[in-house]
Amino acid sequence: MAMKYRFLFVSFCMLLAISGFAQKQYSLSSPDGKLKVTIGGGEALTWSIQHEETINAKSNKKVGVWEGQVKVTNVARKSVNSSFATPFYKKAEVKDVYNQLSLTLKGGFVLEFRAYDEGAAYRIV
């Protein structure tokens, strides 16, 4: 009977250890829902883009600043639906519609991802 509990205890500990090393993933969708950005943290920070059912394998990029273990300390999301004036463009006003995911990293850096209906972008703040 004790052997059975020892086996369960060891199995439970192994599961905890494996889950601790699992890569944490965050996702962000465009306002129309057709574009999906997936961000993975862990050994290195990576991101990939999927448009509807097509995955762009070449977009699985490492964000090279953080090659070591990445520690995300805060996650914030927001949606923006605004516009801005464009005096030198063929249109007087351009719509600015996107969803944003901000990841605050250990060390005070913030990595912002934006998903638009037409594409995606990221920046380091």
Side-chain angles (χ1 to χ4, degrees), residues 27-108:
S27 63
L28 175 67
S29 295
S30 61
D32 67 2
K34 293 181 180 179
L35 188 75
K36 181 180 176 186
V37 179
T38 304
I39 302 103
E43 292 301 317
L45 200 58
T46 60
W47 62 278
S48 64
I49 298 175
Q50 179 179 355
H51 183 264
E52 292 180 322
E53 298 301 319
T54 307
I55 297 174
N56 184 354
K58 292 183 180 179
S59 69
N60 193 7
K61 306 276 185 191
K62 282 187 180 179
V63 181
V65 176
W66 295 277
E67 288 294 329
Q69 183 71 21
V70 176
K71 174 74 173 156
V72 176
T73 59
N74 189 32
V75 178
R77 296 176 184 272
K78 75 175 183 178
S79 295
V80 174
N81 187 353
S82 65
S83 60
F84 56 90
T86 56
F88 302 109
Y89 187 59
K90 60 185 175 184
K91 295 180 182 178
E93 189 175 81
V94 173
K95 290 185 179 184
D96 193 23
V97 181
Y98 61 89
N99 291 327
Q100 180 173 301
L101 173 69
S102 298
L103 301 174
T104 304
L105 305 178
K106 185 176 180 182

